[in-house]
Amino acid sequence: MIDKIWNFKNKKLSDDVINRISQEYRIPRVISTIILNRGIDEENISAFLKKSMADIVNPKLMLDMDKAVNRINTAIKNKEKIAVYGDYDVDGITSTALLYEFLLSLGADIQYYIPDRKGEGYGINIMAVNKLFKQGIKLLITVDCGITAIGEVEFAKLQGLDVIITDHHTCKDRLPSAAAAILNPKRPDCEYPFDSLAGVGVAFKLILALAMENGMVTKDVFEKYVDIATLGTIADVVPLVGENRVIADKGLKALKKTQRAGIRAILEIAGVLDKEITSSTIAFAIAPRLNAAGRLGTATTAVELLLTKDRNSAREIALTLDKENKERQLTERQIFDEAVSMIASDANFKKKKVIVLAKEDWHHGVIGIVASRLCDMYYKPCILISYSNGVGKGSGRSIKNFNLFDALSHCEKHLTDFGGHAVAAGLNINMCDIEDFTKEINKYADSMLTERDMIPSIEIDCPLSERAVTLENAKMLLSLEPFGMGNEKPVFAMSGARIMNIAAVGIDNKHLRLRISKNDHIINCIGFGMGDFVASIKQGDNINLAFQMDINNHQGIESVQLILKDIKISK
């Protein structure tokens, strides 16, 4: 258990302003306080609550969109063979399925290709380009990849393949100038007003632009594909603000009534078909199963699931993905245990601000998840590298104040390739360079991270009295959905509560169950992954708690429940 810093977001808000907003929008004071604390201006509150289609930006404002649309329309008209080149995570899988299905509806001679994670790695590779060229492909459209593939795009151009790049990852100093078009809202020269789209979001904007150019009703196209777009948007953990907020909101509603056989099958296998579909449903029930295809098998299986119209086939594929997800969990546990053991045996671990671990033949498809778990556990940036035959492939995750992409850029001389975001990235490295890379990135971290940066923090929206812990308020919080990065589920704090009952529950006593009381209010609490707290707190203790409000539905009876985030002994 790491002692966390509690950061209160509370601004000095006027009671008059809070009351006025509460009355105008007919929302409780706590909701008004949350909205204002999150920096949403009064004139934007209506848009935040309504999640209107008016916030969807014209796709033609994205740089090179006209070039991409014209080249695709030309390819369809001339019956050229087109390939959609995707990635093996949920963002790439949904991007591939969405663009493939739409171009097929336009009459395109279309196929898709997703590289093998272990054999080919992330992004465009020359071997795949050559293979597609021999199959007669004339136009290659990347989704969720390609922005750093300068040499590969030049090679494709020499072979006679035009390449359209659609991506959302951070750009390096040079772009693949040989591409016929580059769609990426993060391009320094792109003035598109929203740069936080997921890869599937960029592909979504492309099909909307194609729909506009081909005289289709864009509203109909949006509604038909927004369910798929939402899966990738939420799974890729992009900020759920602006356009992403609207896409996620409309998509979650579409998922509740979707008739896509594959999506319904995966919802049924996950046991959530008849339950409320939220961003958490995607993050914890759907995404891991779709991801499992690319982690342990081939990601094309997940694309087939999204595209199939046959219910029997959909169920068969969903069962396969569920099985692969369980295998992934076992492999993940094994690598995690090995990594923890390596850390425990490192006498200099406490001095290092970045965890870099390497081992032969760790599964490439799982090391990213393990890196994320270690990052959370030790609150240090973490990079895991799997090597074979002298070549390593790594996956990293980072903490709040450490931009991993910038760090890898600083250490570029030790790497053969890298790419990603501030909080997640991938890299390729020769085994002989791992030691120097480890020293260099830790030296960089020493210059960038303070001791306070190395302490995890909890962002707390506001204190909440026991009187405000009501079912009504818990339901009103749903008006702030969809929750995710950039619009996290509100966290509250309460002080001076007394523990009435305490127990560690679940497999391996992993979780914590509390019943607390304050001023005659009795409240039930659950702390997922917090079972170790039973060693430091006991019945009768007075505690301060950081928590989220949730609705527990047991046998049709709804009650408010607190989801614990941290506990401190009350002084």
Side-chain angles (χ1 to χ4, degrees):
M1 297 181 298
I2 302 175
D3 192 30
K4 299 179 179 66
I5 297 170
W6 290 13
N7 290 328
F8 286 83
K9 296 180 183 178
N10 280 51
K11 307 282 193 305
K12 291 183 178 179
L13 302 174
S14 162
D15 278 345
D16 291 340
V17 174
I18 294 174
N19 289 333
R20 188 179 71 251
I21 291 172
S22 295
Q23 291 169 8
E24 183 177 346
Y25 294 101
R26 297 180 181 179
I27 54 179
R29 280 176 54 87
V30 65
I31 306 295
S32 301
T33 303
I34 291 167
I35 291 173
L36 292 170
N37 276 341
R38 294 189 172 193
I40 299 168
D41 297 329
E42 287 191 52
E43 58 267 27
N44 294 321
I45 291 175
S46 179
F48 181 80
L49 292 172
K50 287 182 179 178
K51 294 154 279 193
S52 168
M53 286 291 292
D55 290 330
I56 296 295
V57 181
N58 185 334
K60 293 185 178 181
L61 293 179
M62 194 176 293
L63 188 63
D64 277 5
M65 185 62 80
D66 55 342
K67 293 181 183 179
V69 168
N70 291 337
R71 181 63 187 90
I72 292 170
N73 278 337
T74 298
I76 295 173
K77 180 180 177 181
N78 295 336
K79 301 190 182 304
E80 297 176 73
K81 287 189 174 183
I82 305 172
V84 177
Y85 192 109
D87 182 29
Y88 35 66
D89 67 1
V90 178
D91 195 11
I93 289 164
T94 53
S95 301
T96 301
L98 180 146
L99 189 55
Y100 172 87
E101 184 177 295
F102 181 76
L103 292 181
L104 189 66
S105 74
L106 292 182
D109 186 350
I110 184 84
Q111 64 186 71
Y112 59 86
Y113 183 91
I114 297 181
D116 176 71
R117 185 190 290 261
K118 186 174 183 180
E120 299 173 80
Y122 169 79
I124 310 174
N125 67 83
I126 288 176
M127 199 166 56
V129 171
N130 202 36
K131 178 180 178 181
L132 292 167
F133 168 71
K134 289 179 179 178
Q135 292 175 1
I137 298 299
K138 293 296 183 184
L139 176 61
L140 187 68
I141 308 173
T142 76
V143 288
D144 194 32
C145 64
I147 198 63
T148 62
I150 296 170
E152 292 82 356
V153 174
E154 288 176 351
F155 174 79
K157 185 71 174 175
L158 289 173
Q159 302 304 307
L161 270 80
D162 280 342
V163 179
I164 293 173
I165 293 171
T166 79
D167 202 350
H168 73 125
H169 291 95
T170 305
C171 304
K172 294 184 180 180
D173 292 337
R174 286 180 60 204
L175 296 176
S177 57
I182 302 174
L183 303 180
N184 187 334
K186 286 191 175 71
R187 284 180 61 171
D189 53 347
C190 181
E191 297 181 358
Y192 191 80
F194 186 71
D195 69 354
S196 296
L197 290 167
V200 73
V202 180
F204 196 29
K205 304 302 290 195
L206 175 58
I207 73 167
L208 291 174
L210 283 163
M212 293 169 68
E213 192 66 23
N214 287 282
M216 303 169 72
V217 179
T218 53
K219 183 176 181 291
D220 292 345
V221 175
F222 182 96
E223 290 177 351
K224 182 175 181 180
Y225 292 96
V226 72
D227 53 355
I228 293 181
T230 296
L231 293 179
T233 295
I234 293 176
D236 212 54
V237 201
V238 291
L240 291 189
V241 298
E243 283 193 280
N244 289 340
R245 179 168 169 78
V246 180
I247 290 170
D249 178 66
K250 306 302 180 191
L252 288 171
K253 290 173 181 173
L255 283 167
K256 293 173 188 175
K257 54 185 179 182
T258 185
Q259 293 305 306
R260 292 183 185 275
I263 293 178
R264 289 185 64 83
I266 205 88
L267 289 171
E268 183 178 3
I269 294 299
V272 294
L273 181 61
D274 298 321
K275 296 182 179 179
E276 186 75 10
I277 306 296
T278 66
S279 51
S280 295
T281 309
I282 293 175
F284 298 110
I286 303 176
R289 289 170 172 83
L290 292 178
N291 260 330
R295 294 191 189 282
L296 297 188
T298 169
T300 56
T301 306
V303 179
E304 290 169 9
L305 178 76
L306 295 176
L307 293 175
T308 187
K309 293 178 171 56
D310 182 81
R311 291 184 180 181
N312 291 330
S313 176
R315 180 168 176 79
E316 190 174 318
I317 296 172
L319 286 169
T320 298
L321 294 181
D322 189 59
K323 180 182 177 182
E324 289 180 342
N325 187 50
K326 290 173 181 174
E327 292 174 3
R328 183 271 303 169
Q329 290 171 330
L330 291 173
T331 304
E332 175 191 329
R333 180 59 185 265
Q334 177 186 347
I335 295 174
F336 176 80
D337 290 344
E338 290 174 356
V340 170
S341 178
M342 291 167 73
I343 290 170
S345 64
D346 183 356
N348 296 315
F349 175 73
K350 288 186 177 180
K351 298 178 183 178
K352 298 174 183 176
K353 289 184 176 176
V354 180
I355 300 169
V356 181
L357 301 174
K359 194 171 188 296
E360 186 173 11
D361 290 333
W362 268 343
H363 200 294
H364 297 122
V366 178
I367 56 176
I369 306 175
V370 178
S372 180
R373 288 183 61 188
L374 294 172
C375 183
D376 291 340
M377 182 173 176
Y378 296 102
Y379 203 68
K380 293 184 178 186
C382 180
I383 298 169
L384 262 58
I385 300 169
S386 172
Y387 61 84
S388 179
N389 300 319
V391 178
K393 294 181 180 179
S395 186
R397 300 295 184 269
S398 195
I399 59 178
K400 182 179 179 182
N401 292 320
F402 191 73
N403 187 311
L404 190 55
F405 183 86
D406 289 349
L408 295 181
S409 298
H410 179 80
C411 304
E412 188 171 9
K413 65 183 178 182
H414 301 295
L415 308 172
T416 57
D417 194 17
F418 72 94
H421 305 290
V423 296
L427 60 87
N428 292 338
I429 187 171
N430 291 321
M431 187 179 167
C432 58
D433 292 321
I434 293 176
E435 185 176 350
D436 288 339
F437 166 73
T438 302
K439 291 177 181 177
E440 185 72 20
I441 197 168
N442 270 282
K443 183 179 177 182
Y444 177 78
D446 285 338
S447 70
M448 300 298 292
L449 290 170
T450 67
E451 290 302 318
R452 186 178 176 85
D453 289 334
M454 304 302 295
I455 303 173
S457 61
I458 296 178
E459 301 298 315
I460 296 176
D461 285 271
C462 60
L464 199 67
S465 73
E466 67 282 359
R467 295 185 304 276
V469 178
T470 65
L471 188 58
E472 179 187 8
N473 280 345
K475 288 182 176 180
M476 283 302 301
L477 286 173
L478 298 178
S479 65
L480 304 179
E481 285 267 19
F483 295 123
M485 181 180 171
N487 182 42
E488 289 80 6
K489 193 170 183 179
V491 177
F492 306 101
M494 182 186 299
S495 61
R498 187 172 62 86
I499 299 176
M500 296 178 65
N501 298 106
I502 179 171
V505 297
I507 298 174
D508 298 327
N509 290 327
K510 188 176 181 180
H511 311 303
L512 176 71
R513 178 173 291 154
L514 292 183
R515 175 170 287 190
I516 62 171
S517 68
K518 185 177 180 183
N519 295 331
D520 297 327
H521 286 75
I522 298 174
I523 307 170
N524 292 320
C525 314
I526 184 77
F528 297 109
M530 295 175 64
D532 287 345
F533 270 89
V534 296
S536 56
I537 57 176
K538 62 185 183 302
Q539 184 177 338
D541 281 350
N542 287 324
I543 57 172
N544 302 333
L545 52 153
F547 61 91
Q548 296 169 334
M549 255 200 295
D550 196 31
I551 300 170
N552 183 38
N553 191 322
H554 181 65
Q555 296 182 344
I557 300 174
E558 292 183 333
S559 62
V560 66
Q561 173 180 255
L562 305 188
I563 308 297
L564 298 173
K565 294 298 170 184
D566 196 23
I567 298 171
K568 294 180 184 291
I569 297 293
S570 176
K571 297 177 182 179

